[in-house]
Amino acid sequence: MNLTTARSPFSVSSMSNGDDRKFSLGGCSNSDTDSVASRSSGVFSGYDTLDTPPSYDFYTNTEVFGRAKKSRPSLFQLHSNPQVFSQDDPSPPPLYEESSVDKQSPDEDEPTEPPPEPTRFGWAQGVMIRCMLNIWGVILYLRLPWITAQAGIGMTWIIILVSSSITGITGLSTSAIATNGKVKGGGTYFLISRSLGPELGGSIGLIFAFANAVAVAMHTVGFAETVQVLMQETEVSMVDKLNDIRIIGVITVTCLLAISMAGMEWESKAQVLFFLVIMVSFASYIVGTIIPATPQKQAKGFFSYRADIFAANFVPGWRGPEGSFFGMFSIFFPSATGILAGANISGDLKDPNVAIPRGTMLAIFWTTISYLIISATIGSCVLRDASGYINDTVSSLSGECLGVGCNYGWNFTECITNKTCPYGLSNYYQSMSMVSACGPLITAGIFGATLSSALACLVSAPKVFQCLCKDKLYPGIGFFGKGYGKNNEPLRSYLLAYVIAICFILIAELNTIAPIISNFFLCSYALINFSCFHASITNSPGWRPTFRFYSKWLSLLGAVVSVIIMFLLTWWAALIAIGIVIFLLGYVLYKKPDVNWGSSMQASSYNMALSQCVGLNQVEDHIKNYRPQCLVLSGPPCMRPSLVDFIGTFTKNQSLMICTNVITGGPSPDAVESAKISTHLKWLDKRRIKSFYHTVVADDLRVGVQMLLQSTGLGRMKPNVLVMGFKKNWRKAQPGVIENYIGILHDAFDLQYGLCVLRMKEGLDISRTMQAHVNLGFETSTEQALDTRTSTTTTSPTIDTSLDPEELMAISQPTTVFQTRQGKKTIDVYWLSDDGGLTLLLPYLLTRKKRWGRCKVRVFVGGEAQQVDEQKQELKALISRFRLGFQDIQVLPDINGKPQSEHIKRFEDLIAPYRVSSVQKDGQEADETTKDFSWMVSDEEIETFRAKSLRQIRLNEVIQDYSRDAALIIVTMPVGRRGACPSSLYMAWLEIVSRDLRPPVLLVRGNQENVLTMYCQ
């Protein structure tokens, strides 16, 4: 068979990606109707199919200019029968091309040219050079020689390698996170927030952006101080020392702002220029170490490479209060930071997944090598102490000679003894300038290092802050998130960072703030390492980084060491940083922003929940640990807030509550989408109801409830009490609806569920119109008639369910009686039949809550007039053994008395429409009628259940007498035998017991198994 000839000559293509999709047949220019009409012909025949091969478009969120983005067909479109669609169906299932087709001409409103491509950078210019410039700083030029003199070459190498190990581990963690999916703009904040979630990510993003803004001021002041020293050497001054630094700093940061706002392309060119200046200064320094020393340099302690100088400087020579390993480490470590400069502009990189790992790790490697080389070379060439006097030679001075300089004809004994030497590694911070072949080049290198670091921070802060603003985790910052130009530059955030930098430049005293900033950076490193460890340890299938050279245990070590270093640097600054993180973390936890990034915290929560649920399988049920775990037939929870509020009162933080909804009808896209809707969960969260929400699609209500009763729950976490609303309008409903309602009660009893039915005088359902997602089998509003043929709408309720669920969320939630404090009222419990104790347990749980805590529980039981006192004492003793604290026990001797005749007449009128005699026709026998219509009540059944019917009538009279002013009435629910008691008669019992009562009535029946115990084991 030739498969090619079997294929239809037509192929179908999607021409747009919106809701109003258009379809055309290859080779034709037909409209929507032509495409729809063709569906029943060759399109679905032979080889034609909706299935398509894998495509990049199916997995990306972006679109390519010039062509429509394809989308994968839904399962319903693949699985449904195409013949069921009529030609006038407004939403036919879209078909997909399997061969190229002619493209339609673009719409007039669409641009004909692609938008300008923003400037993107590779791994070298975008990450490596930027990170190297940010790592190199003033400490490299002015403090590294001094640290070498203090700690010695060997100990300095240890300090450098330990610092680089920490940053290297952080770089590995950053690389792993950056390669676990497509990285957008936002840098450090984006990596942490998308990995650990918005709580930690948001707090770190805010303080990291602020720290970068203040770091701009720090580096700018460092530059300004260097310029001011040069001005002082030439005896030039504008005002005074402090104001000169302020003026130079403000001018400098303004120029840097202009470079940044000109665009990333100009900023990157400036960084390359600074990089070249630093490289030239390094070359000048290396050449200077090789050139033979002049007498002037020898007087200052420089003798080029000497083995004995290397040996003398290899061991530590601690001096001053900072003379210790940790003291030197705290001074050097900030010079190893800056590894996140490349990641912070992740949105401006060509390929962040490649650029961030390669550029960051190479930057760490080369800067570490440069630190090691400089410390080794400067320690091999320069003495620790020198006088700088050209006449301090051995031949010109007599007496003892101290120090290595004696071997080369110089005697610095006097200044070494008096500790007044102005030169040497231990005393002269400008040692690299002295050694360099050209001293001004070192000064230029200092300028390049400070300005490049300031420029990198000035770019990083707005980029990180812009991403934070767009996520809307904190109020009042969205204004600064707006982007401009092809690169989406955050100009407003630039101005904010500029203002912050100006404020700290004007202070010009950053010695106190500098440790806080270092701790903020360390805090970021700790969280990045913890993010990598946490994502790895949760074993989430979504954790698949392409960068494999990382270890989760190394990441954990890096996180712990980063926190330790925070306290070693400045303990009080570490406490401030951690305190700010905790405060911002608490704010986000309280606000619970509506974001879902698939964080490792979500994976961890799932793992813990799964582990605990599986662990419950090994725990046997015990009466002492019994909890009423409620399956609530609420429909959409927002339609029956009273029912949800009442159950949520005693289940909150104590037991399981699952609100459920049955969507009647066959499976369809609308039904499936309604079943998945999350609006109801948002409504519950907004109302602070701790409940699950579950929806099923079934042919009718009873079948759906049967599915819920048998399948809802997980392991031991499964419901044991069914809660539903009373069907108030049952007399106006079709008999089949009554049959289903009573059938649900029987199904619950068959499956060993306890049962609660709540009735309120004003009704439970507050909806005006009944929609497809609202079950017709549930109780409706007070005056609303429910009929399968007609549906009547009334006034008074507060919510219109014809609105979209999202609009319902925007409406203020209705207040119910169960949301307010009940005061000093009573909860009246009519414990007429022993059901295992559920009737007593529920009021006890209610009184443990603040809203019901002041209510007094009264227990009523039936009894005989001759033994009232004995029965009361016996019941008191029993309840006291249960430790429930109920003291008011009353025996009702008249509970079995005969009710009033008018009440009996009202009950008879209630069931009259369902009597067999009222519907018999053509001499049909009563037994045949009841056999065909089980909801009908025969005369024989009336007589059989007369005593039970009279008891329910009498019970209502007693409740009217005793509980007119109660806050809540709890009554033991009567039980009707399946197949023996007609559904209409059973419904009449429930109606007559709870009729005309102002307080809410809860009909309760346990599953006849103990839920209370008097024993301790």
Side-chain angles (χ1 to χ4, degrees), residues 80 174 201 211 220 284 295 319 363 414 495 514 555 560 579 698 733 738 925 961 991:
S80 62
T174 304
T220 305
S284 174
R319 298 182 186 181
E414 182 179 356
L495 293 176
S555 297
V560 173
I738 302 174
E925 295 295 333
D961 293 336
E991 166 74 26

Side-chain angles (χ1 to χ4, degrees), residues 533-650:
F533 165 76
H534 197 265
S536 302
I537 204 69
T538 55
N539 293 321
S540 173
W543 175 249
R544 301 186 301 273
T546 57
F547 184 83
R548 300 293 183 183
F549 305 102
Y550 75 95
S551 169
K552 58 185 177 183
W553 301 114
L554 271 180
S555 297
L556 179 61
L557 176 64
V560 173
V561 172
S562 296
V563 174
I564 293 175
I565 293 175
M566 287 175 62
F567 285 92
L568 290 178
L569 292 180
T570 313
W571 65 267
W572 57 265
L575 291 178
I576 292 176
I578 294 175
I580 294 176
V581 170
I582 293 175
F583 173 78
L584 296 174
L585 169 66
Y587 177 84
V588 178
L589 285 172
Y590 175 75
K591 285 296 183 179
K592 296 180 181 178
D594 187 15
V595 294
N596 183 11
W597 296 326
S599 66
S600 60
M601 287 297 182
Q602 294 173 324
S604 177
S605 298
Y606 174 84
N607 285 348
M608 289 189 293
L610 180 62
S611 176
Q612 295 295 328
C613 285
V614 173
L616 282 177
N617 290 334
Q618 311 302 323
V619 179
E620 295 294 332
D621 290 333
H622 195 281
I623 301 175
K624 289 171 60 178
N625 293 324
Y626 175 86
R627 300 164 187 261
Q629 304 190 124
C630 299
L631 181 71
V632 186
L633 301 184
S634 63
C638 57
M639 303 309 163
R640 294 171 181 82
S642 296
L643 182 64
V644 174
D645 288 340
F646 176 70
I647 303 302
T649 301
F650 63 83

Side-chain angles (χ1 to χ4, degrees), residues 274-332:
F274 292 143
F275 182 77
L276 293 177
V277 171
I278 293 176
M279 288 294 101
V280 172
S281 69
F282 283 171
S284 174
Y285 164 76
I286 295 299
V287 171
T289 60
I290 300 173
I291 297 176
T294 63
Q296 289 78 11
K297 289 188 176 182
Q298 289 182 356
K300 295 180 179 180
F302 173 64
F303 295 94
S304 192
Y305 292 102
R306 296 288 188 271
D308 50 353
I309 296 178
F310 176 84
N313 288 338
F314 188 82
V315 296
W318 307 116
R319 298 182 186 181
E322 297 174 338
S324 64
F325 176 83
F326 289 112
M328 294 300 105
F329 184 85
S330 64
I331 294 173
F332 174 80

Side-chain angles (χ1 to χ4, degrees), residues 19-21 23 32 36 39 85-93:
D19 293 332
D20 300 328
R21 296 180 175 176
F23 306 90
D32 291 10
V36 174
R39 287 177 298 151
F85 293 96
S86 60
Q87 292 190 5
D88 57 350
D89 187 355
S91 57

Side-chain angles (χ1 to χ4, degrees), residues 324-441:
S324 64
F325 176 83
F326 289 112
M328 294 300 105
F329 184 85
S330 64
I331 294 173
F332 174 80
F333 184 79
S335 67
T337 60
I339 62 172
L340 301 176
N344 286 337
I345 63 163
S346 54
D348 297 293
L349 302 176
K350 291 180 181 178
D351 189 356
N353 299 87
V354 175
I356 292 177
R358 184 181 298 177
T360 303
M361 298 311 298
L362 284 176
I364 294 173
F365 174 77
W366 288 118
T367 52
T368 303
I369 294 298
S370 67
Y371 285 139
L372 294 175
I373 291 175
I374 291 175
S375 64
T377 53
I378 199 76
S380 301
C381 300
V382 184
L383 301 177
R384 280 194 170 100
D385 297 288
S387 64
Y389 295 114
I390 195 72
N391 296 325
D392 285 350
T393 59
V394 175
S395 58
S396 62
L397 299 174
S398 60
E400 185 181 3
C401 183
L402 299 177
V404 181
C406 300
N407 300 333
Y408 307 108
W410 294 86
N411 188 350
F412 303 129
T413 304
E414 182 179 356
C415 71
I416 292 175
T417 305
N418 299 330
K419 298 181 181 180
T420 58
C421 296
Y423 292 96
L425 293 179
S426 297
N427 310 293
Y428 188 52
Y429 291 154
Q430 304 288 343
S431 295
M432 286 187 65
S433 298
M434 177 193 68
V435 173
S436 175
C438 181
L441 288 179

Side-chain angles (χ1 to χ4, degrees), residues 9 29 38 178 181 184 195 226 235 274 282 285 307 320 394 418 555 646 671-672 683 721 733 799 911 957:
S29 58
S38 66
K184 299 181 181 179
S195 180
T226 306
E235 298 182 354
F274 292 143
F282 283 171
Y285 164 76
V394 175
N418 299 330
S555 297
F646 176 70
V672 174
W683 186 90
V721 177
I799 291 183
I911 63 171
E957 294 176 351

Side-chain angles (χ1 to χ4, degrees), residues 17 42 77 148 181 207 209 233 279 286 328 368 581 593 607 636 691 701 708 710 813 825 836 849 882:
N17 196 33
Q77 292 165 349
T148 304
I207 64 174
E233 290 177 355
M279 288 294 101
I286 295 299
M328 294 300 105
T368 303
V581 170
N607 285 348
S691 170
L701 175 66
L708 292 170
Q710 297 180 75
Q813 299 194 352
K825 297 182 181 179
K849 305 298 180 180
F882 291 149

